[in-house]
């Protein structure tokens, strides 16, 4: 087993990885940029090294600096986390040259599966269905001609894409040229690669992905699916496992396709094969993420496995100790991504100092996070603060726990999207599992019921927000008295009063 692992990342995922290291008796080495000197991952790691200024291309994206730290600290392995360099074949390559183990797939497997067009080509060879479109980077005139013959809407996508960058929906021939230009320039800025390809835009698909694990001895297993259809502008915000629509038979077919792809790509370590699923339960390959995913905890909760420890064990050459057939999801898990952003102000990032916070706990609740009271959320990176994960025996129990945990959660000094999740978790479509990848964007455009706005902002309990909540509670109490309230609304207004009281006490703690 390894003795010391360099964690080439920051935030909640760096904390997640160093926790796994500690459980395995491995020393952890953190790296940090100037603005991250006081970050939680730096505080918790066994050692920490500065790697430069705040902009990630001068710190977290500098392979030379990371390898310099790995050598200086005597690390025998590097874990990339997700984002930053996690899918850049140059990092496993540099590790090989330095004789340090990269905890992830080889550079070759990353290239064979990680590039979107290479992944599509492989899927086609293996007869795994793909969304109709091009399997090669395409120039503007050919792409335009093909869009017309396929029929609009189409989606332009960056070959090197990720995080929705360089992606453009095109609904008509007239928009095509400018959309192509914009997508190519966005892709160039984000990835240094302006190449685009084309897919037919599926109207209301669901995003369902298969988690796989592959060891270096030829065993490839599927850990089942996660559904990530609740998205804002094509970015996941809620994930769950199992999917409300996946039957054991569909799970088996999707798993077989994912395992086939991983085998053909010579894949070793943890990876995710993403699919879109249409209303008739046909699935289409989307891409392979050659790394740990943000949403991996929901799979951990329903399988009882620790994916980070398994990643480390696989990289150390261990065999996977179980067969795929032995894995069946137990209960239900759901994750919400808590961001420092303001849903009331067009989801504008809300960096700043965390003045106080209360973290939920209790049965079935897990919080993966990289923040603490008194820490200043920097403006320089993705504003993901915490992932709140609930587990329950059923989807209903999981949602009830998640709601209860969101009610306990308070954070002051910055704004978060917690209120948005409280609203989504009350929404009948969501409760029935009737969601698709455009569902949240459409729902956000719907006019809001008058009572939901003050409730949502109350949770960002700065003094004004707390005052607004009390006004809202009085308003609600009056409303419910006037309208012969149901048992649940009675309970709601009573519990809101109690919560406000408790929050006030929390605020007084010096
Ligand atoms: P990225 O890697 O940039 O995140 P993906 O290819 O993984 O992009 O797609 C992200 C999301 O965009 C999907 O989950 C889905 O919501 C939407 N999407 C991607 N391709 C299509 C498509 N062909 N039709 C409809 N929606 C799509």
């Amino acid at each position: 087993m390894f003795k010391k692992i360099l964690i080439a990342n920051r935030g909640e995922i760096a904390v997640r990885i160093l926790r796994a290291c500690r459980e395995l008796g491995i020393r952890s080495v953190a790296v940090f940029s100037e603005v991250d000197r006081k970050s939680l991952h730096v505080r918790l790691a066994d050692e920490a090294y500065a790697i430069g200024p705040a902009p990630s291309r001068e710190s977290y994206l500098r392979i030379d600096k990371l390898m310099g730290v790995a050598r200086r600290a005597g690390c025998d392995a590097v874990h990339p986390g997700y984002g930053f360099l996690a899918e850049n074949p140059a990092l496993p390559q540099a590790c090989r040259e330095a004789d340090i183990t990269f905890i992830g797939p080889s550079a070759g497997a990353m290239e064979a599966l990680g590039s979107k067009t290479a992944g599509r080509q492989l899927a086609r060879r293996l007869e795994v269905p793909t969304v109709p479109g091009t399997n090669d980077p395409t120039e503007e005139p050919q792409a335009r001609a093909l869009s017309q013959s396929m029929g609009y809407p189409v989606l332009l996508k960056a070959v090197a894409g990720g995080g929705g960058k360089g992606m453009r929906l095109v609904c008509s021939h007239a928009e095509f040229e400018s959309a192509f230009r914009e997508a190519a320039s966005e892709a160039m800025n984000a990835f240094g690669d302006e190449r685009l390809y084309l897919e037919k835009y599926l109207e209301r698909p669901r995003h369902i992905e298969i988690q796989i694990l592959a060891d270096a001895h030829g065993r490839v297993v599927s850990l089942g699916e996660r559904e990530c259809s609740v998205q804002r502008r094509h970015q996941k915000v809620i994930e769950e496992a199992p999917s409300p629509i996946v039957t054991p038979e569909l799970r088996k077919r999707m798993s077989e396709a994912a395992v086939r792809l991983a085998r053909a790509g010579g894949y070793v370590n943890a990876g995710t094969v993403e699919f879109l699923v249409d209303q008739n339960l046909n699935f289409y390959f989307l891409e392979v993420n050659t790394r740990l995913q943000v949403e991996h905890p929901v799979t951990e909760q329903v399988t009882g496995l620790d994916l980070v420890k398994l990643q480390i064990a696989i990289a150390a050459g261990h065999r996977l100790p179980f067969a795929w057939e032995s894995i069946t999801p137990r209960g239900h898990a759901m994750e919400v991504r808590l961001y420092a952003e303001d849903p009331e102000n067009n989801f504008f990032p809300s960096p700043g100092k965390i003045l106080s916070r209360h973290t939920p706990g209790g049965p079935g609740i897990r919080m993966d996070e990289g923040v603490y009271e008194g820490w200043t959320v920097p403006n320089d990176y993705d504003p993901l603060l915490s992932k709140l994960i609930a587990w329950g025996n059923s989807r209903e129990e999981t949602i009830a726990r998640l709601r209860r945990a969101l009610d306990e959660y308070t954070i002051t000094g910055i704004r978060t999207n917690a209120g948005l999740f409280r609203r989504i978790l009350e929404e009948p479509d969501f409760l029935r599992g009737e969601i698709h990848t455009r569902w949240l964007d459409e729902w956000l455009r719907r006019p809001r019921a008058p009572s939901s706005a003050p409730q949502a902002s109350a949770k960002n309990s700065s003094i004004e927000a707390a005052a607004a909540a009390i006004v809202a509670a009085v308003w609600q109490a009056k409303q419910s008295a006037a309208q012969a309230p149901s048992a649940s609304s009675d309970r709601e207004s009573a519990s809101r009063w109690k919560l406000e009281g408790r929050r006030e006490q929390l605020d007084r703690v010096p």
Side-chain angles (χ1 to χ4, degrees), residues 246-484:
V246 170
T247 59
E249 191 267 329
L250 180 59
R251 179 172 305 127
K252 188 156 180 285
R253 282 197 294 126
M254 292 179 76
S255 290
E256 274 165 1
V259 166
R260 229 167 43 235
L261 272 159
R263 271 192 203 289
Y267 199 84
V268 173
N269 217 287
T272 296
V273 184
E274 297 189 330
F275 296 95
L276 293 180
V277 178
D278 71 15
Q279 274 132 346
N280 301 319
L281 300 190
N282 298 308
F283 62 86
Y284 304 91
F285 168 79
L286 197 57
E287 65 164 341
V288 181
N289 284 145
T290 57
R291 55 170 166 86
L292 189 68
Q293 301 265 100
V294 178
E295 60 273 23
H296 75 276
V298 296
T299 300
E300 294 188 321
Q301 296 307 115
V302 295
T303 59
L305 297 170
D306 183 316
L307 290 186
V308 181
K309 287 204 271 189
L310 285 164
Q311 283 194 294
I312 295 171
I314 289 171
H318 295 206
R319 286 173 189 277
L320 279 171
F322 46 81
W324 164 19
E325 297 73 27
S326 65
I327 294 164
T328 34
R330 190 182 140 263
H332 199 97
M334 195 175 281
E335 170 183 284
V336 298
R337 297 188 185 191
L338 292 163
Y339 279 98
E341 65 184 15
D342 186 2
E344 305 301 321
N345 183 19
N346 205 22
F347 294 87
F348 214 70
S350 175
K353 187 166 179 174
I354 298 173
L355 298 179
S356 71
R357 61 195 287 277
H358 175 75
T359 310
I365 293 300
R366 164 175 170 182
M367 195 75 158
D368 277 20
E369 54 185 350
V371 302
Y372 60 88
E373 193 170 305
W375 182 62
T376 300
V377 182
N379 199 10
D380 308 84
Y381 313 106
D382 183 82
L384 178 65
L385 296 170
S386 312
K387 302 182 311 201
L388 173 59
I389 304 116
W391 179 88
N393 285 299
S394 60
R395 189 169 189 263
E396 291 69 29
E397 186 179 44
T398 303
I399 291 174
R401 283 183 166 163
L402 203 45
R403 278 197 203 134
R404 185 266 295 162
L406 282 163
D407 277 342
E408 288 174 23
Y409 177 68
T410 59
I411 188 158
T412 68
I414 55 170
R415 299 206 168 266
T416 77
N417 56 352
L420 175 72
F421 293 123
R422 292 188 192 97
R423 291 171 52 215
I424 294 174
L425 295 180
E426 299 286 345
E427 198 46 51
D429 289 349
F430 180 79
L431 300 181
R432 286 193 299 268
E434 288 172 7
I435 43 177
H436 53 83
T437 56
R438 302 275 302 148
W439 177 80
L440 180 58
D441 289 318
E442 289 171 10
W443 182 81
L444 283 167
R445 281 200 296 271
R446 283 190 220 157
R448 290 257 289 276
S451 63
S452 51
Q455 271 183 27
S457 63
K459 304 297 173 167
N460 276 315
S461 48
S462 66
I463 291 167
E464 296 111 83
I470 291 168
V471 172
V474 172
W475 181 85
Q476 251 195 348
K478 277 191 189 154
Q479 288 286 103
S480 45
Q483 292 170 3

Side-chain angles (χ1 to χ4, degrees), residues 32 68 165 172 416-417 440 490:
F32 60 91
K165 296 204 179 76
S172 71
T416 77
N417 56 352
L440 180 58
D490 233 6

Side-chain angles (χ1 to χ4, degrees), residues 116 131 155 157 161-165 167 199-202 205 207 231 234-235 274 276 286-287 437:
K116 294 194 174 218
V131 182
L155 201 58
K157 287 177 145 184
K165 296 204 179 76
M167 200 149 98
E199 277 178 14
K200 175 82 188 146
Y201 185 71
L202 302 185
H207 175 117
Q231 303 184 350
H234 304 310
Q235 298 302 301
E274 297 189 330
L276 293 180
L286 197 57
E287 65 164 341
T437 56

Side-chain angles (χ1 to χ4, degrees), residues 57-111:
R57 58 180 184 286
E58 293 174 46
S59 49
Y60 296 105
L61 292 174
R62 286 281 298 268
I63 294 178
D64 56 338
K65 289 188 180 177
L66 295 166
M67 297 316 292
V69 171
R71 270 192 293 266
R72 198 146 41 105
C75 297
D76 43 11
V78 172
H79 196 306
Y82 56 70
F84 295 129
L85 292 165
E87 292 183 272
N88 186 334
L91 185 58
Q93 192 60 43
C95 286
R96 239 169 81 105
E97 283 157 18
D99 207 16
I100 292 172
T101 305
F102 176 75
I103 302 173
S106 65
M110 249 186 213
E111 275 158 3

